[in-house]
Amino acid sequence: MSWPIVELGSVVSFVGGSQPPKSTFKFEPEDDYVRLLQIRDYKSDKNLTFIPESSTKKFCKKDDVMIGRYGPPVFQILRGLEGAYNVALMKAVPSEKVDKDYLYYFLKQDKLFRLIDSLSQRTAGQSGIDMDALKSYPMLLPPLEEQKRIAAILDKADAIRQKRKQAIELADEFLRSVFLDMFGDIPAGFSKYPLVGCRGSVKAASGKSSKGVISDSSTDIPIYGGNGINGYATEALYSKPVVIVGRVGQQCGITTLTDGPCWVTDNAIVLEITDLKKYDAAYLAHALKHSPLRDSVKRLDLPFVNQSMILDYKIPLPPISEQKKFGSIRKNLLKHLSLQQKGIGISEDNFQVLSQQAFSGQL
């Protein structure tokens, strides 16, 4: 195949959003008003905001390819909503030479994300896209019909991948129910066990930049940011499972439990249990995950959590035997889920390999 390789910016333009004054905001739909989209709206409808349609010229449709300009994580590739969009988003507008679905999957490549993330400029805890690097990124440009064929294959693979995610979400909902039954309702402040902070039994520290350890291919050492895995490392920062809490931005307060050696970036806070007779890692992760800590800060202009907020946040302190019982339930559920998903076929890693083949002319 002799398809041309072009710079992305020569066939795609990027159009930033606008920020109408907050004085114009409404929180219920009205005539002549349009929804104002922010990055967080692609995950939840909990923060519906509407502005006068006449107050902006920056609109997007459901099939438009949108990019989160700031993070962490920077460079989120989004679609599926329509309305006006704010300054934290920009629209990728393809020329007549580029299929919109092909562009969507091209921008979602893990390799491209890692490059943009590594070059992001950090200001006041946020990171922004290096537009020169993005526009100069090489893009394989097959004929439109071939682009459509590639996008259709990736569409099917992505649909299978989404089934895996749905199964994980159902498992998470089950664990939430088990946690509530065993330990009480943390947001309501109700538990049969004392509500205390974990300071003195848990050590907190910030992660470190991953720029020097990023691997070009998948390894056994995932890199965790504020919102889960965003790459792979050549060496580990932590050798044992740890609890990770997103530190800043829209991902602050998101809690993840690792299952082995890993690297954690400076977008997250790492919790290590120092008193194993008092806390179990799986219990601690889920206690923080089900707490309203995230809800209490995400409406700030720059949402953040710090180490003291986490260590002093009051959660139930059940006997370690009860914590371990919950951990055992979680472990068995994840084992069952893993066996079930072997039949689904497309994992995140497999999808990224398929994507890499597609955009190098091997699909």
Side-chain angles (χ1 to χ4, degrees):
M1 292 176 223
S2 56
W3 297 331
I5 295 176
V6 301
E7 290 191 349
L8 182 63
S10 69
V11 291
V12 177
S13 58
F14 300 94
V15 183
S18 61
Q19 191 65 40
K22 288 186 177 181
S23 60
T24 66
F25 288 8
K26 301 282 187 180
F27 301 102
E28 297 289 341
E30 292 188 14
D31 290 342
D32 300 320
Y33 273 68
V34 64
R35 184 175 180 182
L36 177 65
L37 299 174
Q38 305 176 62
I39 294 173
R40 66 188 180 187
D41 293 322
Y42 286 88
K43 295 182 181 296
S44 168
D45 287 330
K46 292 181 179 179
N47 300 284
L48 291 175
T49 304
F50 301 88
I51 59 171
E53 189 169 358
S54 60
S55 67
T56 181
K57 296 181 179 179
K58 304 300 178 67
F59 301 98
C60 64
K61 300 175 183 178
K62 288 184 178 181
D63 66 341
D64 282 331
V65 181
M66 307 301 294
I67 302 174
R69 299 178 66 178
Y70 307 110
V74 71
F75 202 61
Q76 297 179 64
I77 309 303
L78 310 161
R79 74 189 320 187
L81 298 177
E82 62 182 3
Y85 57 99
N86 79 346
V87 292
L89 290 163
M90 63 181 176
K91 180 165 61 174
V93 183
S95 72
E96 70 281 356
K97 296 180 179 180
V98 181
D99 176 73
K100 194 177 286 187
D101 293 333
Y102 181 81
L103 173 62
Y104 174 71
Y105 286 112
F106 180 85
L107 292 174
K108 285 182 73 71
Q109 290 180 91
D110 190 50
K111 181 170 65 173
L112 176 54
F113 167 79
R114 291 202 304 269
L115 171 67
I116 298 300
D117 185 54
S118 69
L119 295 174
S120 63
Q121 301 297 313
R122 303 187 182 280
T123 305
Q126 285 194 321
S127 52
I129 294 173
D130 184 324
M131 292 304 299
D132 289 338
L134 178 60
K135 290 178 180 179
S136 64
Y137 194 81
M139 182 187 205
L140 185 70
L141 195 64
L144 277 172
E145 285 306 310
E146 181 64 18
Q147 292 181 40
K148 292 178 185 295
R149 184 188 74 84
I150 290 171
I153 292 172
L154 293 176
D155 228 11
K156 291 178 182 178
D158 190 46
I160 297 172
R161 181 177 62 158
Q162 295 306 320
K163 288 183 180 179
R164 292 176 62 93
K165 291 183 178 179
Q166 290 169 9
I168 292 171
E169 289 170 1
L170 287 172
D172 190 59
E173 194 59 39
F174 171 74
L175 283 177
R176 183 185 293 271
S177 177
V178 170
F179 187 96
L180 185 67
D181 183 61
M182 291 182 68
F183 307 117
D185 188 341
I186 297 178
F190 171 77
S191 177
K192 60 186 176 183
Y193 301 111
L195 297 168
V196 298
C198 61
R199 185 184 292 275
S201 301
V202 174
K203 179 175 69 174
S206 293
K208 294 183 179 180
S209 171
S210 61
K211 289 182 179 179
V213 299
I214 296 175
S215 172
D216 291 332
S217 57
S218 295
T219 69
D220 293 330
I221 306 170
I223 297 175
Y224 286 88
N227 191 29
I229 296 173
N230 59 23
Y232 294 89
T234 56
E235 61 182 84
L237 185 60
Y238 294 93
S239 58
K240 297 180 180 179
V242 292
V243 178
I244 300 169
V245 182
R247 183 178 63 82
V248 68
Q250 295 300 322
Q251 316 309 323
C252 77
I254 290 179
T255 304
T256 306
L257 176 64
T258 69
D259 58 5
C262 67
W263 190 279
V264 182
T265 73
D266 48 2
N267 291 330
I269 294 171
V270 185
L271 304 179
E272 292 183 276
I273 297 171
T274 55
D275 187 348
L276 295 175
K277 294 181 179 180
K278 205 165 184 178
Y279 286 103
D280 175 75
Y283 168 79
L284 179 63
H286 279 265
L288 293 172
K289 185 175 184 178
H290 299 323
S291 77
L293 178 63
R294 172 172 163 76
D295 293 334
S296 66
V297 300
K298 68 181 182 182
R299 286 187 176 273
L300 298 174
D301 288 339
L302 179 59
F304 76 96
V305 295
N306 58 37
Q307 296 176 20
S308 292
M309 292 166 68
I310 297 169
L311 295 177
D312 294 331
Y313 196 86
K314 293 183 178 181
I315 58 175
L317 182 59
I320 191 66
S321 58
E322 288 297 293
Q323 295 183 40
K324 290 186 176 297
K325 184 185 295 184
F326 174 79
S328 178
I329 292 172
R330 174 185 177 273
K331 183 178 180 179
N332 289 334
L333 177 64
L334 293 181
K335 182 178 179 181
H336 174 75
L337 189 64
S338 177
L339 291 172
Q340 184 186 58
Q341 289 188 356
K342 283 184 178 179
I344 295 179
I346 299 291
S347 68
E348 183 67 31
D349 288 347
N350 290 338
F351 181 83
Q352 290 299 338
V353 169
L354 190 63
S355 177
Q356 187 175 358
Q357 291 174 341
F359 298 113
S360 60
Q362 301 174 47
L363 190 59

